Amino acid sequence: MRFVSAIAEWLEERTGIGAALAPILGHAVPRSTASFWYVFGSATLILFVLQIATGICLALVYIPSADQAYQSLLYLNHGAHLGWFLRAVHFWGSNAMVLVLVVHMLQVFLFGAYKYPRELTWVCGVFLLLCTLGMAFTGQVLRWDQDAYWGLGIGASIAARAPGIGPGLVYVLLGGPIIGGRTLSRFFTIHVFVVPALLIALIGIHLWLVLRLGVNEWPMPGRVVDRATYRKRYEEEVHRDGVPFFPVAARKDMIAMAVVVLGVLACAALFGPHGPRGFPDPTLIDTAPRPDFFFLWLFALFALLPPWTETFILLVGPVVAIGFLLALPFLSGTGEKSWLRRPGSVLAVVVILLTIGTLTSLGTTSPWSPVMDGWSAKPVPIAYVEGRSPLELQGALVLQLKQCRNCHSLGGEGGLRGPALDGVATRLTRDQLIRQVLQGGGNMPAYGKNLNPAEVTALVAFMQTLHPADEPIARTATGPALGTR
Amino acid sequence: MCPNHELTTPASPSRRSFLFRLALALNALAVVLMGVPILGYLLGPLSRRSAQTWIDLGPVGSFPERETRLAVYENPYRVVWDGATAKIACWVRRLEGDRFQVFAVNCAHLGCPVRWFPQSRLFMCPCHGGVYYEDGSRASGPPPRGLFEYECAVRDGRLHVRGGEIPTLSEPV
């Protein structure tokens, strides 16, 4: 022990690093900030460190080349010693980083910490959020599987919608006219060199601003921010009732840092690495691309937006959202900090969280996606074919073979794009069924050209049997003759 | 060399300011000489000629009449390290004789690969549920238009299409 401290003294005498760091670590912060509500920034930082450490390890093996990336990922999963674990930590760490970063941002927003004089800390944080999401998207591309390939196609399709510059954007994004080797090299460079460098620089500025401007005090209702008096009052409070950041506040940060890292390690050990899924051969089109967790809400949004609003919202939405985030500290830089006196802000957070949460949960089930094997893998329930006439049975066959089940479910199985067909006979009359089949409408294609009259007759006869025993089938008001079975 | 060179023989202010300006100018020159090639290299993809070229999809006989088949070609813009991603698929519909329609597999909505169902004569997209009729026109769902259709021609009994770029709304094939 004495030997160690002798070495430390020797080093300190020559470098002076300890003397330089001591005032930074020990700087006074308001006592109210030594709270578990203030730990999310540190937790995000340690997750970033974890991502760097695991990322460097993965880069030792990963080959950023379109013809070998997939194999090198399989080798990481199955060949490299503990490669699966490092991939898993990197994946779960990325999820955790996005999640904890968002929690940090919400805490900062609700505590009014973005207000005077910390506007630039917030602006810097917005860029950190964008860089982190950029890491999430580019990282998903490096997992060079079918999801990555078609995810790039989706990115290109969105970029192409930008008026005027669309085609140029696609070329710069993909590194050429089409997805291929150049694209992966490009995303590797962005993911491994460009954005991490930006992140490190931005984190440096972010931390410098926190040190310079002080940690935001616990917001008290009625204690409004005024540019003329705020800094003086803050310094008085720190002077009167401050505690040294290390160790008083830092111990809670350290607990949080350990908890998130242990959480990530536990998820990695329990659930393992994510993918790679299918081999990235664009001619294997029997695939249903899905984005990673953090972009599921966008996937849902693209499915649910009315088509005529889509291009506008795709292009204008991000600009408005980012612009609003950047402008926020300048729009409401003073006034009340406490969430208790900012009901609009609380409501905004609740609405945004509910929206993204709902869209994400819809994204996991994606009821708008046809079940591509619904027609061949989900049989008609036996109860629906028992005791049916030959014509009706023929109709059941038509229903299966014409892929109706890809969008319509029977007995809880099949697509959810269209309404379930159990009980359809109680909702639509025979004529309405025929019209719907032939002309389509709503989200249904018209089958008029693809079914012959005999098939339509059989199909409608079968659908007219789909009603509960105690509910009669729908008939037109003019008389039963039109609705005869 | 004496470390206090400047103190012992003070240069005239004009000489100092000249040296400072020279330093600025030399570094500015270096920045421009390095910066222009870097920008040119990065934005190189923008100064493109059209990458669209005629591509051979094989003998006409390999596509039965009144059927739609998946055809595969190699992206003409390929590099050796593209691996499997050099391969591009497209849907070839042969009406009869030399009349063809060739569609990109990319959905016109956001580019997912559409699948052909010969029984119902529909293309369906697995992502957001876009559906197209056999002639490529939009049937339902979010796509703003029909499938992207390649320009195609039959020469010497072989089917050719003009392609090479990823089809998007702003640059349909």
Side-chain angles (χ1 to χ4, degrees), chain B residues 40-54:
Chain B
Y41 177 80
L42 289 179
L43 301 180
L46 279 176
S47 64
R48 67 207 154 93
R49 300 156 298 281
S50 174
Q52 302 288 57
T53 47
W54 285 98

Side-chain angles (χ1 to χ4, degrees), chain A residues 288-306:
Chain A
R290 290 290 177 272
D292 275 3
F293 182 75
F294 7 74
F295 296 119
L296 274 177
W297 66 278
L298 278 177
F299 170 61
L301 194 65
F302 296 155
L304 299 175
L305 283 175

